[in-house]
Amino acid sequence: MPKKSKNTRAKGGKGRIEGGSGSDDDSVFNDNASVVSMVGSETSTIQDDNQVDESSSEETFENKLKDAIELASEKSATTRTKGLEALCQGLIKRYAPDFIEGRKATICDLVERSMKKGKGSEVQAAAKLAILLGVQLFDCEEVYKELRPTLLQIVSDKTESPNSRATVASALAGLCFLGGGELAEVVSVMKVLEGIYTLSAAKKDGSASTVSPETVVLHTSCLSGWALLSTLLTPGQIYEKINSRVSVLQSMFTSVDVDLRITAGETMVLLLESVYDHDEDFEPENFDELISSLKQLATDSSKSRSKKDRKEQRSSFRDVLRGVEEGEGPNENIKFGKETLKIDSWFTKIQYDWFCKMMGAGMNYHLSVNSMLREIFELGAPLNILDADGSNKLTKTQRNAANQQAFKMRTQVRSKNRDKRSAVF
């Protein structure tokens, strides 16, 4: 029987920032008259405000975003893609909810058109822009409703490339998390994602499924999105099907892909953490066999895997093992500016990890100023940011965000505030 810690299910995130870096600036085309020339300068604006006039910087930033919107409207697929990518980079590096709110319909239309008519990199750039758009807004329910049909169509279309479907799956899960409305809608999207990622589960004879590396990326993305949405479910709903979920996830431990194995393990411990809260005496079926599998992965020294993969897997599964066997959550502190985000549950770790993958190097900045993320991680209203004179004067965007936060708080992000009457897990 698993030993339970006294740790409660707090709401926060995980301290491993993945994806994105300063190299984003190198990926855009070098055109001084275009929006992408803005990207490199915006990093210094964020980190060195005392060298730039804030109002002038904000105006320049908005003008560059307008240029990017125009580029994303061009007939050339290459130009559209570069415009979409520049918009993504701009929204990662700056928080401009008021400016984006006024152009929400236009950007949403650009995203939908590119996903419907574009191919490959254009579809991926549009899908990434969709989730970044949602993070910028105070309420993205309208964006989700507008893009939902297209996102569902692409993620379910087997003729689309796996990489495009993977990015779209992330956008679908993220927008549903941020603006999906009632829990029944969340469960509906989870079922779509589950129908895809379970294709990587082991066969009936116990052998690993044979899928291409590109398809494994799709399955990992779907499982990661499914895990994010599962944080909106109540412990009772998760408890109803926990044994079948654990069985499927455990079967993915045989996958040749380290990312899928780790995602399966972390999703499993997330579900069990919730079930332990629901019933502290619960013990999964075949508990001893499960612990044995986790211990093997936590100490794996197989030479068939790369040294990097072995190290990453052992580190992750040591934490998973403690969570499953002892009911112990992670214990990390994420420092950003003058604040610290405490991560002490798998619930918050999954959410934090997911947004880190989307926001990349801009995660710490957005934790400081983004009302949406600060609500998700219960950080309260944004702190005043010092201007060039060292005073506590807020920027126009920050003032508006603080004023609107009180009545635009998004309660659908929290499972405790969702309508659960019609939801069936």
Side-chain angles (χ1 to χ4, degrees):
M1 177 177 296
K3 295 173 283 185
K4 310 300 186 304
S5 71
K6 298 300 182 180
N7 180 42
T8 58
R9 183 173 177 164
K11 297 174 177 59
K14 152 74 177 157
R16 183 183 62 206
I17 296 182
E18 301 181 33
S21 67
S23 61
D24 284 347
D25 297 344
D26 300 329
S27 65
V28 295
F29 56 99
N30 185 19
D31 180 358
N32 291 331
S34 70
V35 63
V36 294
S37 63
M38 159 274 297
V39 176
S41 64
E42 290 305 327
T43 302
S44 61
T45 301
I46 296 170
Q47 298 177 343
D48 201 8
D49 286 338
N50 62 340
Q51 298 179 6
V52 183
D53 178 78
E54 180 60 36
S55 60
S56 176
S57 173
E58 185 174 347
E59 182 179 356
T60 299
F61 172 75
E62 293 179 355
N63 287 335
K64 295 299 184 178
L65 284 186
K66 292 175 184 178
D67 292 342
I69 291 174
E70 291 183 6
L71 287 174
S73 305
E74 294 291 336
K75 293 183 178 181
S76 168
T78 301
T79 303
R80 288 199 308 270
T81 301
K82 290 177 179 178
L84 293 169
E85 291 173 346
L87 280 169
C88 289
Q89 292 169 4
L91 296 186
I92 286 175
K93 295 178 184 297
R94 289 290 291 264
Y95 180 54
D98 300 303
F99 177 85
I100 298 301
E101 181 70 34
R103 291 155 183 80
K104 175 175 62 178
T106 299
I107 297 176
C108 191
D109 183 65
L110 292 175
V111 168
E112 185 173 21
R113 187 181 72 167
S114 289
M115 286 196 296
K116 285 182 176 180
K117 298 183 178 180
K119 297 291 182 182
S121 59
E122 182 179 358
V123 173
Q124 294 173 45
K128 184 175 182 179
L129 178 58
I131 185 60
L132 293 176
L133 173 62
V135 172
Q136 287 274 338
L137 298 172
F138 295 109
D139 189 340
C140 69
E141 186 171 358
E142 291 182 12
V143 171
Y144 174 70
K145 289 180 178 180
E146 179 71 22
L147 296 179
R148 179 184 182 278
T150 302
L151 293 168
L152 282 172
Q153 188 275 323
I154 294 176
V155 80
S156 304
D157 187 354
K158 296 181 180 180
T159 64
E160 288 280 352
S161 71
N163 287 334
S164 294
R165 292 174 68 195
T167 310
V168 171
S170 293
L172 175 63
L175 284 178
C176 184
F177 178 85
L178 296 171
E182 294 186 356
L183 193 58
E185 174 63 23
V186 174
V187 172
S188 175
V189 172
M190 290 178 70
K191 289 180 178 178
V192 173
L193 299 176
E194 185 176 12
I196 298 173
Y197 77 72
T198 50
L199 296 177
S200 273
K203 300 177 183 178
K204 292 183 178 180
D205 60 4
S207 60
S209 297
T210 303
V211 292
S212 68
E214 294 80 10
T215 302
V216 172
V217 172
L218 167 63
H219 294 173
T220 303
S221 179
C222 288
L223 178 56
S224 179
W226 188 92
L228 175 71
L229 293 178
S230 72
T231 64
L232 300 177
L233 302 178
T234 65
Q237 290 169 319
I238 296 176
Y239 179 81
E240 292 176 8
K241 295 188 177 181
I242 184 60
N243 284 313
S244 62
R245 305 293 185 197
V246 169
S247 178
V248 170
L249 293 170
Q250 184 178 356
S251 75
M252 293 183 179
F253 293 166
T254 61
S255 171
V256 297
D257 186 83
V258 65
D259 290 333
L260 182 57
R261 293 196 300 272
I262 290 174
T263 303
E266 293 184 348
T267 302
M268 175 188 292
V269 73
L270 165 70
L271 299 180
L272 287 174
E273 177 185 71
S274 182
V275 171
Y276 291 162
D277 285 346
H278 179 76
D279 179 3
E280 63 180 16
D281 295 322
F282 175 80
E283 182 176 289
E285 293 179 356
N286 304 315
F287 183 68
D288 292 339
E289 178 184 340
L290 173 60
I291 294 300
S292 177
S293 297
L294 293 175
K295 287 182 177 179
Q296 182 178 357
L297 290 165
T299 58
D300 186 9
S301 59
S302 174
K303 299 300 182 182
S304 62
R305 310 191 200 282
S306 70
K307 183 177 181 179
K308 177 179 178 295
D309 285 354
R310 291 199 306 270
K311 182 178 180 181
E312 185 178 4
Q313 175 182 291
R314 288 197 296 263
S315 175
S316 177
F317 274 94
R318 283 196 294 267
D319 294 339
V320 170
L321 178 61
R322 286 194 296 269
V324 173
E325 188 174 27
E326 302 175 13
E328 181 179 336
N331 182 21
E332 298 187 32
N333 293 318
I334 309 302
K335 294 184 178 180
F336 55 99
K338 297 181 179 179
E339 300 177 89
T340 300
L341 172 62
K342 184 175 178 60
I343 300 173
D344 54 7
S345 73
W346 287 96
F347 173 91
T348 52
K349 167 186 165 17
I350 293 297
Q351 292 182 350
Y352 181 81
D353 269 358
W354 194 91
F355 280 100
C356 278
K357 292 175 183 177
M358 296 300 108
M359 307 304 296
M363 184 64 176
N364 282 358
Y365 164 72
H366 279 271
L367 281 176
S368 297
V369 301
N370 190 304
S371 296
M372 173 73 74
L373 290 183
R374 292 183 68 86
E375 181 194 348
I376 291 172
F377 298 112
E378 298 187 345
L379 294 169
L383 298 182
N384 293 359
I385 296 180
L386 296 178
D387 65 8
D389 298 325
S391 67
N392 286 332
K393 181 180 178 181
L394 292 174
T395 66
K396 176 183 176 181
T397 297
Q398 291 160 352
R399 289 197 305 271
N400 289 336
N403 290 336
Q404 295 185 47
Q405 185 182 22
F407 60 90
K408 287 192 174 181
M409 291 285 282
R410 299 186 54 268
T411 57
Q412 64 266 40
V413 175
R414 290 286 180 265
S415 61
K416 65 182 180 182
N417 294 326
R418 284 183 177 269
D419 184 353
K420 306 178 181 67
R421 291 171 295 181
S422 60
V424 179
F425 180 48

